[in-house]
């Protein structure tokens, strides 16, 4: 869609749900550490099956019911850092007070009003990501606001809840999860539907992200923060798009969902103008394909069936694009996949995939398709194929009536795919194993508001003399706490300047990572040792990269051993003077011609001899003096 589209005219309503992991020492309902593990370290494994339970009103959540159309087996990997609470073999402990304090700090930054008493609820989740079949969550605060350049955005909800397990592998009938992430505390922040454009959505998400990072107590890195986007337009429907991890994708996600709903409404109008309808029957068309050359169908027919549905008046519209590269037929296929099939075929895209025109004609004759009609069909095991066609019938009927409310997953290109229906109120019920917690006015008022990152950035420019770009880079990097610790330790040391430290942390480390160095193995103590060596003259700043590279390769090595291995044992000034004098003499003609302009070209030669052993500034001064002496002696 055009970037100049009038989103107000379309009636865009948009809100965000931000899920941010908190950096507490322990998990939310047990004393296990909040560390992620390598799956090769797993020492426990078990499996479960899930089923949907009824709410207190005797109802089953519609999203849970659809999730269980396939009877999946869920395998869980545990570690020596997980316990019986994660395995759902032991009741939860009381809610982690450190996590509560961090969450209240976030609430205060958002100007929210906390509840007087915190109650934990159970939220039904039967995708296997929670061993218990539910997620523990607690409504903590409301009535907040985020000022933006467009309009103020309300913050309706802040919940404190436990993180889900991490999915390792999805094999269809079996899904494998890792339990190291399960139970890590996180906050869920839900805005009001006050966002008025895609760019406004991004700005709002950036503001919330800045406030969260300003606490200094949230986890950083891929997967530690996720954005869900709720979007609707006039005559459309509320759709929740889950799992947007990159901020720069939020604009595209909103644009593409608006485009999808606009196109679905256009398709509906055209279907109605054609008097289109859906024949409420599923046809067995297996015999038509008994001699097919289609590899997909041939493989399925070994143990399966081919079922079809007739869509009157849908010809040409099943293949109509609703998002770039995705069509109405893709929407049908997404629904069919909830029954376990790999996808569907439809006549708008045939003949193709080894399916001949003769087979298409026979298919149309068998189901009674006329000109202007479309046929959708699937080949798979009998139960799966029949369930898939039932889902296609439901979605095709919706195409005639409305844009369906649903939960969708964000795709890497900015599009989205169907996951399940929007959940209802019947998915929530009280948690009886965790006692309520009183939150007094005095306690809430005692929580200190941290310095905002925007304020910190301005302070770094003023206090440390960093330019704005470098100050912003270090403030928003994962190394901010380390930078502040280094500045405190080496305050006043001429060798360890704020500019040097920030450039190493935000420039050199990414370069080393691109070169294949496992920089994640570098600890704060490694950086401390390296900068300490430079501060004390044991190594030059030019050797910082080599020292960090070796620490990453050998994390357990001592500084002395690293310096010895690299030959960074220090150098006397007289050695630099002697070597510089020798180089100037060897290149006398060049020096005579260039004068002091020879300093730059000769620096590379001298630094090659003393790199890591002597500071570049010192080498430059010595070389300049030797050249000056040579020129004056002529």
């Amino acid at each position: 869609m055009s970037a100049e589209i009038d989103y107000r005219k379309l009636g865009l309503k948009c809100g965000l749900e931000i899920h941010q992991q908190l950096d507490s020492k322990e998990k939310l309902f047990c004393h296990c550490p909040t560390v992620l593990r390598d799956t090769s370290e797993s020492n426990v494994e078990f499996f479960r099956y899930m089923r949907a339970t009824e709410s207190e009103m005797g109802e089953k959540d519609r999203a849970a019911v659809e999730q269980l159309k396939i009877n999946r087996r869920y395998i869980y990997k545990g570690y020596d850092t997980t316990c019986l609470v994660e395995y759902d073999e032991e009741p939860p402990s009381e809610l982690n007070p450190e996590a509560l304090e961090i969450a209240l700090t976030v609430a205060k930054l958002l100007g929210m009003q906390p509840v007087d008493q915190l109650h934990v609820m159970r939220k039904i989740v039967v995708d296997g990501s929670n061993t218990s079949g539910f997620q523990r969550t607690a409504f903590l605060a409301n009535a907040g606001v985020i000022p933006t350049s467009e309009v103020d955005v309300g913050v309706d909800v802040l919940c404190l809840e436990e993180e889900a397990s991490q999915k390792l592998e999805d094999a269809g009938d079996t899904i494998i999860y890792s339990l190291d992430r399960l139970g890590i505390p996180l906050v869920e922040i839900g805005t009001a539907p006050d966002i008025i454009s895609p760019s406004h959505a991004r700005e709002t998400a950036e503001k919330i992200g800045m406030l969260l990072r300003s606490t200094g107590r949230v986890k950083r890195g891929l997967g530690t923060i996720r954005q869900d986007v709720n979007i609707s337009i006039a005559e459309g429907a509320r759709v929740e798009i889950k799992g947007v991890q990159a901020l720069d994708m939020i604009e595209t996600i909103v644009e593409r969902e608006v485009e999808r709903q606009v196109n679905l409404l256009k398709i509906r109008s055209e279907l109605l103008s054609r008097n289109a309808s859906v024949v409420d029957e599923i046809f067995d068309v297996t015999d038509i394909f008994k001699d097919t050359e289609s590899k997909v169908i041939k493989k399925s027919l070994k143990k399966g069936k081919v079922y079809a549905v007739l869509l009157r008046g849908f010809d040409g519209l099943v293949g109509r694009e609703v998002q770039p590269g995705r069509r109405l037929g893709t929407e049908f296929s997404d629904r069919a996949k909830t029954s376990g099939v790999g996808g569907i075929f439809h006549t708008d895209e045939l003949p193709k995939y080894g399916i001949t025109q003769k087979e298409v004609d026979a298919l149309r004759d068998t189901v009674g398709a006329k000109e202007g009609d479309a046929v959708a069909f699937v080949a798979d095991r009998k139960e799966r194929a029949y369930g898939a066609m039932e889902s296609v019938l439901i979605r095709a009927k919706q195409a005639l009536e409305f844009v369906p409310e649903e939960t969708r997953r964000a795709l890497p290109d900015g599009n989205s795919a169907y996951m399940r229906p929007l959940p209802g109120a019947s998915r929530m019920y009280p948690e009886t194993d965790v006692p309520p917690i009183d939150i007094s006015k005095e306690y809430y008022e005692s929580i200190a508001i941290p310095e905002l990152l925007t304020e910190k950035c301005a302070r770094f420019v003023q206090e440390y003399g960093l330019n704005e770009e470098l100050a912003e880079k270090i403030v928003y990097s994962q190394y901010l706490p380390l930078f502040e610790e280094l500045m405190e330790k080496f305050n006043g040391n001429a060798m360890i300047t704020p500019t040097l430290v920030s450039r190493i942390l935000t420039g050199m480390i990414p370069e080393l990572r691109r070169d294949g160095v496992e920089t994640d193995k570098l600890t704060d103590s490694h950086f401390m040792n390296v900068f300490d060596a430079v501060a004390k003259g044991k190594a030059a700043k030019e050797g910082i990269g080599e020292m960090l590279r070796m620490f990453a390769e050998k994390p357990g090595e001592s500084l002395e051993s690293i310096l010895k291995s690299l030959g960074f044992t220090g150098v006397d000034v007289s050695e630099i003077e002697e070597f510089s004098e020798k180089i100037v003499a060897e290149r006398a003609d060049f020096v005579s011609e260039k004068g002091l302009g020879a300093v730059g070209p000769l620096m590379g030669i001298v630094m090659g001899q003393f790199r890591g052993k002597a500071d570049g500034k010192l080498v430059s001064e010595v070389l300049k003096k030797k050249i000056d002496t040579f020129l004056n002696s002529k």
Side-chain angles (χ1 to χ4, degrees), residues 447-509:
I447 292 175
I449 295 179
E451 181 183 29
L452 297 182
L453 293 188
T454 48
E455 297 168 351
K456 196 182 290 283
C457 187
R459 179 167 64 82
F460 281 7
V461 171
Q462 184 70 28
E463 186 176 331
Y464 296 132
L466 299 176
N467 62 49
E468 288 187 8
E469 182 183 358
L470 201 52
E472 189 171 306
K473 278 185 177 180
I474 193 63
V475 161
Y476 285 91
S477 80
Q478 67 186 78
Y479 296 109
L480 173 60
L482 175 60
F483 174 82
E484 293 184 298
E485 194 175 343
L486 288 166
M487 288 299 92
E488 185 177 344
K489 179 174 181 179
F490 297 108
N491 183 31
N493 188 296
M495 303 301 294
I496 311 299
T497 65
T499 298
L500 171 67
V501 174
S502 55
R503 283 181 173 161
I504 294 296
L505 297 179
T506 64
M508 180 179 286
I509 297 304

Side-chain angles (χ1 to χ4, degrees), residues 46-50 71-76 84 86-89 128 130-133 173 175:
F46 59 93
F47 68 89
R48 296 273 167 81
Y49 290 94
M50 296 287 171
N71 189 28
R72 291 185 174 92
R73 184 171 182 252
Y74 300 104
I75 298 174
Y76 300 97
L84 294 175
E86 283 97 335
Y87 308 160
D88 194 34
E89 297 289 346
N130 291 70
T131 51
S132 59
D173 291 341
I175 298 179

Side-chain angles (χ1 to χ4, degrees), residues 287-304:
D287 288 346
I288 293 171
F289 297 96
K290 61 183 179 181
D291 298 319
T292 188
E293 292 302 312
S294 168
K295 293 179 181 178
V296 175
I297 297 179
K298 189 183 290 187
K299 182 179 178 181
S300 298
L301 285 183
K302 290 178 181 179
K303 294 183 179 180

